[in-house]
Amino acid sequence: MTGSFPAARPRRNRKSAIIRDFVRETALSARRFVYPLFIREAEGTEAIASMPGVSRLGPEAVLSEVEAARGDGIGTVILFPLVPESRKTPRGDEAVNPEGLVPGTVRRLKARWPDLVVCTDVALDPYNSDGHDGVVAPDGTILNDETVEVLCRQAVIQAGAGADIIAPSDMMDGRIGAIRASLDGAGHSGVSILAYTAKFASAFYGPFRDALDSAPKSGDKKTYQMDPSNVREALRELRLDEAEGADIVMVKPAGPYLDVIRALREQTTLPVAAYQVSGEYAMLKAAAQLGWLHERRAVLESLTAIRRAGADMILTYYARQAARWLAEEQA
Ligand code: PBG
């Protein structure tokens, strides 16, 4: 009879904060957060209109932001560069400049904090005059194998600068294996690959493209990023990325794709990451600013849901703020 009402009363396990604490199934921790940073060449900071509270950071500002984030308990950052329009080219040449903004910033961060885990994004869109993640042919096709070649060089340069984790976000076929081979060939067998395994062609990247001025000049990203309707296809990408040597597999966006996170979690022994993207941040922030949502509760709930779905780690623009809220709860 314990299996049904009135003997069974699930509310007994919710009757006090202490009991709720010990029956809680999912815990959030700052150790699970990865903090994305937008970097630029000019000193100072510049606000991003569609991401209130997030700025593009100049060389000095990056250091102070990372120092503050470490103070909040964040151990990992991922870098996204704002490249001046004048340096964007059809082949994204700036992506393979060893003296470029990303390698330079990695070197400065690792020199100051050797234990900081630095992730770098591998894709051409911040560098490409077309705003696409790959090399664009005259007829508008995104060239797969030509792009992978550039991505491999980009990854080796980032690893050479000291990046701990290389994160290809481009969705070209075969890039995980090719990048793994290039890294190993260049003596970087200890550098990890965080694969954007199931990256969807999402409207939720809008504010990010504002931040980096990287929106595609023509067309969309649907010939390489995944159709939001598909989950079996995500498992196919998972098998390929596993076979090609990914260390961590990622789903992106996070909140609208919890079922995909769960599907990957059930089908792989690898760690699963999820990216709470710019549009998810912007929605929470906007509603909070209008007084329509309680920011702290809504943000922590959204992050808890992503963890509950099966993500081991979460990339989120709320990393610092959430870490501080969690610390307050513990105090
Ligand atoms: C591009 C890239 C994007 C994001 C991360 N890497 C945008 C895109 O694919 O257009 C989006 C992240 C976010 O929205 O927060 N390679």
Side-chain angles (χ1 to χ4, degrees):
M1 270 301 138
T2 52
S4 62
F5 182 81
R9 291 179 182 269
R11 288 184 54 195
R12 283 196 287 267
N13 282 345
R14 301 175 203 141
K15 69 186 168 192
S16 78
I18 290 174
I19 289 173
R20 288 194 296 274
D21 275 347
F22 67 57
V23 301
R24 183 161 302 122
E25 299 172 36
T26 305
L28 276 182
S29 153
R31 304 262 161 232
R32 304 280 187 167
F33 297 152
V34 177
Y35 187 31
L37 298 172
F38 296 112
I39 57 176
R40 65 172 200 173
E41 287 171 5
E43 287 293 353
T45 66
E46 187 185 2
I48 300 161
S50 50
M51 299 181 75
V54 178
S55 298
R56 303 174 177 125
L57 306 170
E60 279 308 312
V62 174
L63 294 179
S64 24
E65 186 65 17
V66 170
E67 182 156 47
R70 283 167 64 85
D72 293 332
I74 307 293
T76 307
V77 296
I78 182 163
L79 305 178
F80 296 101
L82 173 70
V83 177
E85 206 55 46
S86 61
R87 225 142 349 100
K88 298 189 183 189
T89 59
R91 296 191 73 88
D93 301 283
E94 183 63 17
V96 293
N97 174 5
E99 305 309 321
L101 180 58
V102 167
T105 306
V106 173
R107 279 192 288 270
R108 286 186 310 118
L109 290 173
K110 293 298 288 186
R112 173 106 167 245
W113 298 288
D115 66 325
L116 177 74
V117 174
V118 178
C119 306
T120 49
D121 186 72
V122 168
L124 299 187
D125 52 315
Y127 309 94
N128 185 328
S129 41
D130 301 291
H132 278 288
D133 291 38
V135 177
V136 186
D139 69 355
T141 311
I142 313 297
L143 300 170
N144 194 88
D145 301 10
E146 289 80 349
T147 299
V148 170
E149 223 169 89
V150 186
L151 300 177
C152 287
R153 288 163 54 208
Q154 183 182 20
V156 167
I157 286 167
Q158 293 172 350
D164 300 281
I165 301 179
I166 303 295
S169 68
D170 55 285
M171 291 301 277
M172 296 301 119
D173 291 333
R175 91 280 206 211
I176 300 301
I179 290 172
R180 183 71 272 159
S182 297
L183 289 173
D184 291 354
H188 299 300
S189 60
V191 172
S192 317
I193 298 180
L194 162 58
Y196 284 66
T197 294
K199 176 174 179 178
F200 291 88
S202 173
F204 291 97
Y205 307 149
F208 175 99
R209 295 177 190 172
D210 293 344
L212 295 188
D213 206 4
S214 65
K217 299 281 189 303
S218 66
D220 52 42
K221 299 193 176 186
K222 291 179 184 170
T223 68
Y224 46 107
Q225 298 180 350
M226 283 180 51
D227 185 326
S229 309
N230 295 351
V231 64
R232 290 196 306 270
E233 189 180 345
L235 297 176
R236 182 176 187 214
E237 290 282 2
L238 168 67
R239 288 194 187 105
L240 290 167
D241 285 356
E242 281 189 314
E244 292 177 33
D247 297 287
I248 304 170
V249 291
M250 184 149 74
V251 176
K252 169 188 180 182
Y257 295 86
L258 296 181
D259 58 320
V260 182
I261 297 173
R262 166 58 52 186
L264 261 64
R265 172 70 291 149
E266 285 173 354
Q267 301 254 346
T268 184
T269 55
L270 291 176
V272 175
Y275 197 148
Q276 184 179 55
V277 298
S278 56
E280 299 177 79
Y281 175 88
M283 282 197 300
L284 287 161
K285 192 53 109 178
Q289 286 189 343
L290 286 164
W292 293 350
L293 280 179
H294 187 290
E295 186 174 27
R296 171 183 179 145
R297 285 170 44 209
V299 169
L300 292 179
E301 182 177 330
S302 73
L303 295 170
T304 299
I306 294 165
R307 284 276 290 138
R308 189 198 62 235
D312 298 287
M313 50 201 277
I314 306 174
L315 284 69
T316 174
Y317 301 96
Y318 271 114
R320 277 193 66 195
Q321 181 73 69
R324 288 199 298 270
W325 284 326
L326 293 172
E328 275 170 35
E329 280 179 7
Q330 247 118 64

